[in-house]
Amino acid sequence: MTAINAYAAFDAKAPLGPFTLERREVGENDVQIEILYCGVCHSDLHQVRNEWGGAMYPLVPGHEIVGRVTKVGNQVSKFKEGDLAGVGCFVDSCRHCPSCQEGLEQYCEEGMVGTYNSKQRNGRPEPTYGGYSSQIVVDAAYTLKVPENLELSRVAPLLCAGITTYSPLRQWKVGAGHRVGIVGLGGLGHMAVKLAASMGADVTVLSTSPEKEKDARELGAHHFAITKDKDVLKGLSRTFDFIIDTVSAPHDLNAYLGMLKRDGTMILLGAPPEPSPVAGFSLINGRRRLAGSLIGGIAETQDMLDYCAEHNIMSDVEVIPVDYINEAYERMLKGDVKYRFVIDMASLK
Ligand code: NAP
Ligand code: ZN
Ligand code: ZN
C-alpha cells in the first residue's frame, strides 16, 4: 500500500479539502500512473453533493485522468514505464456479460466499477478513489493509450466529455447532410460541437448564455440560438435531425423535441437529479425519438482518442490548481466554464 495525496469531499455540504488515501500495490495486470492532469466534470459536482444519491465519503472525484505510467505489472504488454496513459469513467466491470463481451463495459449488467465512489470487485473494502489525486493503479485493460502529439491538459477532458459526445454521434452515424442541435455549451457541449462539426454536420448551439455566441462559432458551430427567446424557439420548429442535450439541470424537454424534424432523435446526455416531464404529443407528432447514451466503452474511447489525435481535436480548458476546486464548482453552476476546468496535479504536491 502506498499513501497518496488527494482532494476529497467529506460530506455533501462542506468544501473539498486535502485527504490522504492508499492505492493497492501494482498487480500483474495493473499499471500505476502518476496523474498529471484531471478534468472537472459536472458529474463530479452532482456526486460530491450527493445529488444522485449513494455518495460514500470521503469521496475523491475525478474521471478525466491523464498521466505517465510509473510501473507496470509483469503480465502487461500494452504499456511500458514512461508511456502516457488515460483513465476515464470506469476502472473495471464483470467482463463476461453480453455488454462487456461486446466492448460496451459502461452498460455492464453487473454494473461498471466507476473510477470513484464505486464498490470494488476485488474485495477491497474502500470505495474507488478518482483522479483528484497524484497517483492511481488501474487494470491495463481499462486504461487508454494517450497520443503523444496532443497537449496533455487539453486531452484530459476527452476521457469523459469527449467520449460521451463521440459515442452517440457514431451510434447514430451523424455526418454531412445532418442538422444537429447541441443544447448547453459547457464541457460536454463544446466537445459535441467540435466533434459533430468535424464529422461534417451542420451544427447549431442552443444556449441560455448570449455571451457564448462568439466562442460557439470559433468552436465550429454554424449557428447559435438563445433558447430563452420564445420566438427563436418557434423559428427552429422541425429543424434538426438530431439534438444532443447536455444540460445539467431540469429543463423543458418538450420545447427541444418540437425542434426535431419528422423521425428526428433527441439524445439525452445531461443527468439532472430531478426528472423532466415529456408530453406524449412531443414524440407522437413527427414520430420523434428520445434516447440516452452513457459515456463509451474502452475500445470506442481508444477510437475517439485516435480520432482526436488525427483531427487535432482537444478540449478548450482553464487549468487550475487543486485548491481552486470549490470556486470552480460554483462557477460551473453558473455556466461560467470556458469550457472545461482541468486540475494541474503538480499543485497537489
Ligand atoms: P457543464 O460544463 O456545467 O455544462 C452544462 C451546460 O448546460 C451549461 O454550461 C449551460 O450551457 C447549460 N445549462 C446549465 N444549467 C441550465 C439550465 N438550468 N437550463 C438550461 N441550460 C442549462 O456540465 P458538463 O460537465 O458538460 O455535464 C453536463 C451534464 O452531463 C451533467 O448533468 C453531467 O452529469 C452529465 N454527464 C453525462 C454523461 C453521460 O455519460 N451521459 C457523461 C458526463 C456528464 P449554456 O450556458 O450554453 O446554456
Ligand atoms: Zn464525466
Ligand atoms: Zn459486464
Side-chain angles (χ1 to χ4, degrees), residues 303-322:
D303 258 12
M304 177 275 309
L305 286 168
D306 298 344
Y307 177 89
C308 288
E310 195 185 325
H311 294 83
N312 201 31
I313 294 174
M314 288 171 278
S315 174
D316 284 25
V317 302
E318 180 175 337
V319 176
I320 59 168
V322 71

Side-chain angles (χ1 to χ4, degrees), residues 215-249:
D215 290 349
R217 292 186 190 276
E218 281 170 12
L219 291 164
H222 306 92
H223 318 273
F224 182 87
I226 284 299
T227 49
K228 285 173 178 161
D229 183 334
K230 289 260 173 342
D231 291 336
V232 169
L233 297 192
K234 254 201 200 136
L236 287 171
S237 172
R238 299 173 190 274
T239 299
F240 300 111
D241 300 282
F242 298 98
I243 293 176
I244 295 189
D245 184 337
T246 74
V247 175
S248 49

